């Protein structure tokens, strides 16, 4: 059964524990999450859920975790801060044919102080999730990315059977579900406070078509102890459109730009 039509508006939610175990590989059902990974607000088999104008803080793991089947949900106008891992995580099946996490909206949120437990914390992360709009958010002070888009590297799926389908080079894009996302008009700063080889906006393993990063302001971020980038299209990141972004006061020591 799918839960639909619930609205959380104007709530304060705080103070949850972290997990007992951190680490591990994606499980046999295609999950790419840690054992016991959870969210202060957790959604699964959810459609048309709205979380608006809420104050979410001091979460042990994620603040909002949309896992697997999550569609047409809206996360708007929330203040999210002091979070163990990620502010808003939309996570589809790491290895799966079914396109199940898509058409969600993450807008007008103020997100800061991420990654207090896990150093790879992000403000907003899309993992095997597509057709989303991430717009008009302010994200700052994150141990790793402000915004991250991820999917499975081809070596994880090519020449393997996934959901009964033998994956080859010619059909691997059918499993690349991080597609058609719009990253627009976000204000991002002070990222990568505890990471290197990273970016303020980052993508890895994303070769689904037509992801766009446009009209964002990225500023005042530095990795003084190592190297990093501003917009980082890492391994197997393809078919992006990146235009009309403003970048300034960035990565001045041992670093690169785009």
């Amino acid at each position: 059964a799918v839960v639909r039509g619930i609205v959380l508006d104007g709530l304060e939610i705080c103070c949850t524990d972290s997990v007992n175990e951190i680490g591990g590989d994606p499980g046999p059902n295609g999950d790419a999450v840690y054992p016991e990974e959870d969210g202060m607000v957790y959604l699964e088999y959810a459609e048309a859920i709205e979380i608006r104008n809420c104050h979410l803080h001091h979460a042990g793991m994620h603040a909002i975790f949309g896992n697997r089947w999550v569609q047409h949900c809206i996360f708007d106008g929330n203040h999210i801060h002091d979070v163990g891992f990620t502010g808003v995580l939309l996570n589809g099946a790491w290895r799966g044919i079914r396109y199940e996490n898509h058409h969600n909206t993450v807008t007008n949120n103020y997100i800061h102080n991420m990654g207090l437990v896990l150093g790879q914390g992000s403000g907003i992360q899309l993992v095997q999730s597509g057709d989303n709009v991430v717009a008009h958010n302010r994200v700052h002070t994150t141990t790793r990315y402000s915004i991250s888009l991820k999917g499975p590297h081809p070596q994880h799926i090519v020449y393997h059977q996934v959901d009964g389908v033998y994956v080859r080079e010619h059909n691997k894009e059918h499993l690349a579900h991080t597609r058609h996302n719009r990253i627009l008009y976000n204000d991002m700063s002070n990222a990568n406070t505890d990471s290197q080889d990273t970016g303020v906006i980052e993508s890895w393993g994303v070769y689904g078509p037509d992801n766009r990063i446009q009209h964002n302001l990225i500023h005042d971020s530095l990795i003084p102890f190592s190297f990093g980038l501003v917009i980082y299209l890492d391994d197997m990141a393809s078919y992006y459109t990146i235009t009309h972004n403003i970048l300034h006061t960035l990565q001045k020591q041992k670093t690169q730009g785009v």
Side-chain angles (χ1 to χ4, degrees):
V2 176
V3 61
R4 294 183 175 91
I6 294 174
V7 178
L8 304 182
D9 193 340
L11 301 181
E12 179 176 5
I13 307 172
C14 75
C15 310
T16 56
D17 289 336
S18 188
V19 297
N20 295 317
E21 181 181 356
I22 294 173
D25 295 323
N29 62 348
D31 288 325
V33 299
Y34 295 118
E36 303 180 17
E37 190 167 340
D38 209 340
M40 183 176 286
V41 178
Y42 180 86
L43 298 87
E44 186 171 1
Y45 292 104
E47 185 175 356
I49 304 299
E50 299 183 20
I51 302 175
R52 297 180 177 273
N53 308 310
C54 292
H55 183 193
L56 298 96
H57 59 99
H58 294 92
M61 288 295 286
H62 310 296
I64 298 172
F65 184 12
N67 193 31
R68 303 298 293 263
W69 183 282
V70 176
Q71 301 174 9
H72 302 284
C73 294
I74 297 173
F75 313 108
D76 179 80
N78 302 290
H79 184 192
I80 301 172
H81 64 93
D82 294 292
V83 170
F85 201 170
T86 296
V88 179
L89 172 61
L90 297 176
N91 179 74
W94 187 247
R95 291 188 292 259
I97 296 293
R98 189 170 66 170
Y99 185 41
E100 58 186 10
N101 195 302
H102 57 79
H103 287 95
N104 300 295
T105 302
V106 184
T107 50
N108 301 305
N109 300 288
Y110 179 30
I111 301 172
H112 59 98
N113 294 89
M114 299 294 109
L116 300 185
V117 176
L118 278 78
Q120 64 266 43
S122 304
I124 301 165
Q125 188 167 58
L126 310 179
V127 180
Q128 284 288 74
S129 180
D131 287 285
N132 303 296
V133 175
V134 178
H136 297 285
N137 301 285
R138 183 184 176 196
V139 183
H140 70 81
T141 314
T142 56
T143 49
R144 199 155 171 85
Y145 324 110
S146 290
I147 297 176
S148 170
L149 300 91
K150 289 193 182 293
H153 195 283
Q155 69 184 12
H156 297 155
I157 57 173
V158 174
Y159 306 119
H160 296 276
Q161 276 203 356
V162 178
D163 293 342
V165 176
Y166 190 67
V167 182
R168 302 288 295 274
E169 284 290 339
H170 74 275
N171 64 347
K172 68 179 188 296
E173 285 83 6
H174 295 298
L175 282 77
H177 300 316
T178 307
R179 61 178 73 157
H180 304 300
N181 290 297
R182 300 292 182 262
I183 313 300
L184 308 170
Y185 300 103
N186 299 286
D187 181 336
M188 291 161 278
S189 62
N190 195 32
N192 310 315
T193 62
D194 189 35
S195 297
Q196 63 174 359
D197 187 19
T198 176
V200 181
I201 297 181
E202 175 269 354
S203 176
W204 186 94
V206 175
Y207 41 93
D210 193 31
N211 290 295
R212 301 188 183 188
I213 300 171
Q214 297 174 305
H215 303 286
N216 298 284
L217 174 62
I218 310 173
H219 61 101
D220 296 289
S221 190
L222 170 67
I223 304 177
F225 53 85
S226 187
F227 74 100
L229 300 98
V230 181
I231 301 174
Y232 189 12
L233 302 187
D234 203 351
D235 294 350
M236 292 304 298
S238 306
Y239 309 114
Y240 271 86
T241 299
I242 301 174
T243 64
H244 298 92
N245 299 287
I246 297 175
L247 287 63
H248 73 84
T249 321
L250 290 157
Q251 317 291 46
K252 290 186 175 181
Q253 300 176 22
K254 303 180 183 178
T255 57
Q256 304 172 57
V258 179

